[in-house]
C-alpha cells in the first residue's frame, strides 16, 4: 500500500472575510496559522513523517507547509512548488464578497459557479490587473496555460498531468508524500482518485488543515481513506 496525505491550507484572511480567493495570493489568518500548527502537531503525534512535500505557489499553502514541517521537525524535507496545485481560478469573482455575489446573481447561479463541475465563473480579461499573466511567478508559462477563469473540470485537467508525472513516481518509490494545497485543487484530486460521479462532487467539502489520509494500491486505487481527528481518532473520509 502507498500512503498519501492531503492537507488543505489553514484559514486565509479572505476565507475569514467570506471572499472569493482563487489565485489571489492571500495570507493565512491568525486562526489559519493556529490550524496549520495544530495539523503538524497532530501528524507527528500520530507517527506520520514525510520524505517530500508538494504544494502550490500561493503563500497560504506554502506557509501552511512550513508550519507543518516546523512542528514535525522536518524542515529539511524537499518542498516542490507548482502552479498546477493552485486553487481553482475564480475569474472576475476573485476578491468579491460571497454574500454580495449571491445578492447580485442569485443563490442558484452562485452555487453552480462554486460547486458545479463544468461551469466557469465570469472571466477576467488579460488587461485586468488581477490576470495571472501580470504576475512574475507565471511569466514562464505559455499564455494559453494562464487561466482567466476555471471550472473544477479545468482544475482537474491541469492538475492530473502533474499528479502522474511528479507525485505518482514518488509514491511508487515508497516515499511518504504530503500534498499541501487548496480546497478546490484537493477536491479535483479526490474526485479523480475516487472516480466520483458529478452529483457527489457537488457536495464534496475539504475542511481546512485536517489531514486526509489515503491508502492506495499498486493501481493507485483508494483502499482506505480517513481524516485524522484532533483527538487522535480517525474519521470516515466519506463524511465530507
Amino acid at each position: 500500500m502507498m500512503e498519501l496525505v492531503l492537507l488543505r491550507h489553514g484559514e486565509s484572511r479572505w476565507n475569514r472575510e467570506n471572499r472569493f480567493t482563487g489565485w489571489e495570493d492571500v495570507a493565512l489568518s491568525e486562526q489559519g496559522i493556529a490550524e496549520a500548527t495544530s495539523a503538524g502537531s497532530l501528524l507527528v503525534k500520530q507517527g506520520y513523517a514525510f520524505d517530500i512535500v508538494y504544494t502550490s505557489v500561493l503563500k497560504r499553502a506554502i506557509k501552511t507547509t512550513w508550519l507543518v514541517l516546523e512542528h514535525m521537525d522536518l524542515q529539511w524535507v524537499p518542498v516542490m512548488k507548482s502552479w498546477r496545485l493552485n486553487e481553482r481560478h475564480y475569474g472576475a469573482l476573485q476578491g468579491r464578497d460571497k454574500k454580495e455575489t449571491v445578492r447580485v446573481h442569485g443563490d442558484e447561479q452562485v452555487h453552480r459557479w462554486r460547486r458545479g463541475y463544468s461551469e466557469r465563473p465570469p472571466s477576467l480579461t488579460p488587461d485586468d490587473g488581477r490576470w495571472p499573466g501580470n504576475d512574475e511567478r507565471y511569466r514562464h508559462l505559455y499564455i494559453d496555460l494562464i487561466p482567466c477563469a476555471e471550472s473544477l473540470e479545468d482544475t482537474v485537467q491541469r492538475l492530473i498531468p502533474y499528479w502522474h508525472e511528479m507525485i505518482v513516481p514518488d509514491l511508487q518509490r515508497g516515499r511518504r508524500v504530503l500534498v499541501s494545497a487548496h480546497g478546490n485543487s484537493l477536491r479535483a484530486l479526490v474526485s479523480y482518485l475516487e472516480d466520483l460521479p458529478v452529483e457527489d462532487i457537488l457536495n464534496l467539502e475539504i475542511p481546512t488543515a485536517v489531514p486526509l489520509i489515503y491508502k492506495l494500491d499498486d493501481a493507485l486505487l483508494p483502499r482506505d481513506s480517513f481524516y485524522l481527528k484532533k483527538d487522535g481518532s480517525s474519521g470516515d473520509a466519506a463524511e465530507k
Side-chain angles (χ1 to χ4, degrees):
M1 286 285 181
M2 294 173 278
E3 188 170 77
L4 170 70
V5 179
L6 307 181
L7 185 69
R8 182 183 174 186
H9 62 78
E11 180 194 70
S12 75
R13 292 178 181 173
W14 280 13
N15 291 148
R16 176 165 286 274
E17 295 173 10
N18 201 32
R19 297 164 70 183
F20 288 98
T21 308
W23 282 30
E24 291 295 311
D25 203 13
V26 178
L28 294 179
S29 66
E30 290 301 315
Q31 179 176 322
I33 291 170
E35 288 175 344
T37 299
S38 177
S41 298
L42 177 58
L43 284 162
V44 76
K45 285 177 183 176
Q46 293 298 305
Y48 288 87
F50 303 109
D51 300 302
I52 192 165
V53 182
Y54 289 90
T55 192
S56 74
V57 296
L58 298 171
K59 62 187 174 187
R60 58 192 185 274
I62 295 169
K63 183 64 175 286
T64 296
T65 299
W66 289 350
L67 290 168
V68 167
L69 294 180
E70 178 182 358
H71 284 81
M72 298 182 76
D73 197 22
L74 291 175
Q75 294 98 321
W76 53 272
V77 167
V79 176
M80 308 297 291
K81 304 181 186 75
S82 174
W83 69 276
R84 291 187 180 272
L85 291 173
N86 275 14
E87 177 60 289
R88 170 189 171 192
H89 195 292
Y90 268 108
L93 298 183
Q94 292 186 171
R96 293 183 62 179
D97 180 272
K98 292 178 182 177
K99 287 184 179 180
E100 176 65 14
T101 305
V102 168
R103 189 188 68 79
V104 172
H105 296 283
D107 185 68
E108 184 178 342
Q109 177 60 73
V110 174
H111 184 73
R112 288 201 302 269
W113 285 333
R114 292 188 66 192
R115 293 300 170 194
Y117 187 68
S118 301
E119 188 164 351
R120 295 180 182 129
S123 291
L124 294 176
T125 56
D127 61 351
D128 191 304
R130 295 171 294 170
W131 183 58
N134 298 316
D135 190 315
E136 184 69 30
R137 81 194 82 189
Y138 306 117
R139 289 185 181 170
H140 67 288
L141 299 179
Y142 291 114
I143 195 166
D144 59 349
L145 293 176
I146 301 175
C148 292
E150 290 181 308
S151 66
L152 186 63
E153 183 177 22
D154 295 327
T155 309
V156 171
Q157 290 175 354
R158 52 107 158 148
L159 183 150
I160 296 308
Y162 189 76
W163 161 255
H164 283 292
E165 293 167 13
M166 300 295 296
I167 302 174
V168 167
D170 277 324
L171 289 168
Q172 291 174 331
R173 294 184 191 106
R175 290 183 172 176
R176 298 163 294 181
V177 176
L178 169 64
V179 177
S180 175
H182 304 264
N184 281 298
S185 54
L186 293 178
R187 282 178 73 221
L189 182 53
V190 167
S191 68
Y192 177 78
L193 288 175
E194 299 192 7
D195 193 23
L196 294 177
V198 170
E199 57 269 23
D200 288 351
I201 297 171
L202 294 176
N203 297 315
L204 180 62
E205 295 278 357
I206 307 291
T208 54
V210 182
L212 173 54
I213 315 300
Y214 270 92
K215 308 282 188 178
L216 306 174
D217 65 17
D218 289 344
L220 300 173
L221 297 175
R223 293 307 177 192
D224 192 17
S225 62
F226 54 90
Y227 285 102
L228 288 184
K229 300 291 186 73
K230 290 183 179 180
D231 62 3
S233 64
S234 61
D236 189 342
E239 298 174 359
K240 305 183 187 83

